[in-house]
Amino acid sequence: DGVIEEHALKIQNNSTLNLGTAGANRVFTIQVGGNKEAILQNASPGPAVLNISLDTTVTIVKARYGIWAYNGTNTVNNAGTINISGTLQDGIRIDTGSFTNEASGTVIITDPGDDGVNLSGTGSFTNNGALTISLPEGAGTGKNNILAETGSVFTNNAQISMLEGNDPRRIVVSGGEILNNKDAIMDLGNGRFRNEVGGTFTNNGLVVSSFLASGSPAAAVFGTADAGTSTNNAFYNYNDDGSLDFGGGTGIVNNGVNINSDADMTVNAASSCSVNLGIATAYDWFDDSGNNNPVGSNDAAGDISFSNDVFSPAASHPIFTVYGTGVEYTIENLDGDCIDI
């Protein structure tokens, strides 16, 4: 602890730093004065490894960059809790190497001076836990909750929450790639998504936005410009006009559904036990929001044939997936072996 005028932690070539051990409940607080980093990794060429263990908390309250990894094979593995606030530049910047937030990991970034997470060069970030990023409301252009530049990859396998920031630029793909995978949630808060400079965004999970535009038509969750490509293969929850495009861009591919649309979420089985759910990602389905009673699984084309004797006779039946009541279909006019008579 304390204020210093040098990088607080510097991890270099062929070195590994392990912070904490599971069960020890260690807390590390870093405050750096001047134009220095709280944690700097410079593998050159590497490896340089930082492991933050389960039951360990790292709190960064002042620095230029909270965590900056560049030059060589850098690796950050977080199984604990990282709190970063008030940085002059990015909360986390990965130029080369990888950052993995493990299933037990929590990363909270608050009020960075620039981007929350900035991936540049060949940097990668994989979220398997909880990631929350809050920029100042109305942050200027060029300040993003997540930025993926050319050559970088951001992968979400769990939960991301954007609490505040620049409304049209909560997440920006600037030539890089962002994946929201099956079972994952990307919550943009009251903001939107921007894809530009040939970037690629693929949603196989759930994207949520509560953005409400003044005037009509409203700007949408997915915005694409400059030859970027955005593909929705699963679910999005968008409270405005339900459009998938804004700003005159092209490159939108919608193979999924808007869960606020009755037309998308009500499916007529036409006296059969098979339907198409209108999505292009395989999911398991249940007749209860707690996922206790399986009824079948759809394939990558969206087709599902319900299992035998899983529904009682009724005019309509709700089905749910891993998102519980967050994604609910109504299946009407079922008839056949799937009905338990």
Side-chain angles (χ1 to χ4, degrees), residues 267-276 303-312 314-317 331-340:
V267 182
N268 190 339
S271 299
S272 74
C273 282
S274 299
V275 297
N276 186 282
D303 293 321
I304 181 170
S305 294
F306 294 109
S307 304
N308 291 345
D309 302 325
V310 292
F311 296 112
S312 59
S316 64
H317 298 81
I331 311 299
E332 298 180 338
N333 299 317
L334 283 166
D335 194 18
D337 291 340
C338 61
I339 303 297
D340 183 12

Side-chain angles (χ1 to χ4, degrees), residues 34 100-101 146 151 189 241 243 268 309:
T100 300
N101 189 37
I146 296 173
D241 70 355
S243 172
N268 190 339
D309 302 325

Side-chain angles (χ1 to χ4, degrees), residues 12-340:
Q12 294 184 286
N13 185 33
N14 292 320
S15 59
T16 298
L17 175 63
N18 298 315
L19 294 180
T21 56
N25 296 309
R26 294 295 305 275
V27 176
F28 299 87
T29 301
I30 302 173
Q31 181 175 344
V32 183
N35 202 28
K36 300 297 182 179
E37 280 62 69
I39 300 175
L40 178 68
Q41 285 186 281
N42 179 9
S44 187
V49 180
L50 170 63
N51 296 313
I52 300 171
S53 77
L54 184 69
D55 303 318
T56 299
T57 299
V58 176
T59 299
I60 298 170
V61 295
K62 183 181 179 182
R64 180 173 63 169
Y65 294 96
I67 299 174
W68 184 13
Y70 77 101
N71 193 15
T73 305
N74 300 287
T75 301
V76 180
N77 299 305
N78 175 51
T81 298
I82 300 174
N83 292 296
I84 302 174
S85 62
T87 55
L88 297 176
Q89 297 292 326
D90 306 323
I92 295 173
R93 176 171 175 168
I94 309 296
D95 291 351
T96 64
S98 63
F99 187 112
T100 300
N101 189 37
E102 299 178 8
S104 63
T106 296
V107 176
I108 301 171
I109 301 172
T110 306
D111 292 343
D114 200 353
D115 303 315
V117 174
N118 182 353
L119 302 180
S120 180
T122 59
S124 69
F125 191 111
T126 300
N127 179 51
N128 298 321
L131 171 62
T132 301
I133 304 175
S134 178
L135 267 65
E137 180 64 28
T141 299
K143 297 182 179 181
N144 316 288
N145 295 69
I146 296 173
L147 173 64
E149 299 186 85
T150 300
S152 67
V153 180
F154 184 101
T155 303
N156 181 39
N157 297 314
Q159 172 82 44
I160 297 176
S161 299
M162 310 294 166
L163 300 182
E164 301 290 351
N166 184 313
D167 287 342
R169 302 175 69 90
R170 291 291 165 87
I171 297 178
V172 173
V173 189
S174 184
E177 181 177 8
I178 291 185
L179 305 170
N180 192 47
N181 281 336
K182 177 185 175 184
D183 299 342
I185 301 175
M186 185 174 284
D187 188 345
L188 304 178
N190 63 348
R192 293 169 283 162
F193 179 95
R194 179 76 173 170
N195 188 350
E196 58 192 21
V197 197
T200 300
F201 173 72
T202 304
N203 175 45
N204 294 316
L206 172 61
V207 174
V208 177
S209 172
S210 61
F211 177 79
L212 293 173
S214 57
S216 181
V221 172
F222 302 102
T224 299
D226 302 328
T229 300
S230 296
T231 302
N232 175 42
N233 291 322
F235 314 105
Y236 71 101
N237 179 349
Y238 180 49
N239 289 336
D240 215 312
D241 70 355
S243 172
L244 276 174
D245 196 10
F246 79 96
T250 57
I252 301 292
V253 179
N254 186 18
N255 301 318
V257 296
N258 177 2
I259 64 174
N260 283 325
S261 167
D262 289 341
D264 284 352
M265 303 307 292
T266 302
V267 182
N268 190 339
S271 299
S272 74
C273 282
S274 299
V275 297
N276 186 282
L277 298 178
I279 59 177
T281 303
Y283 272 89
D284 300 324
W285 295 91
F286 304 81
D287 72 358
D288 66 307
S289 60
N291 294 176
N292 296 305
N293 304 311
V295 297
S297 303
N298 69 275
D299 61 20
D303 293 321
I304 181 170
S305 294
F306 294 109
S307 304
N308 291 345
D309 302 325
V310 292
F311 296 112
S312 59
S316 64
H317 298 81
I319 61 170
F320 307 86
T321 189
V322 65
Y323 304 111
T325 56
V327 175
E328 177 182 347
Y329 281 89
T330 298
I331 311 299
E332 298 180 338
N333 299 317
L334 283 166
D335 194 18
D337 291 340
C338 61
I339 303 297
D340 183 12

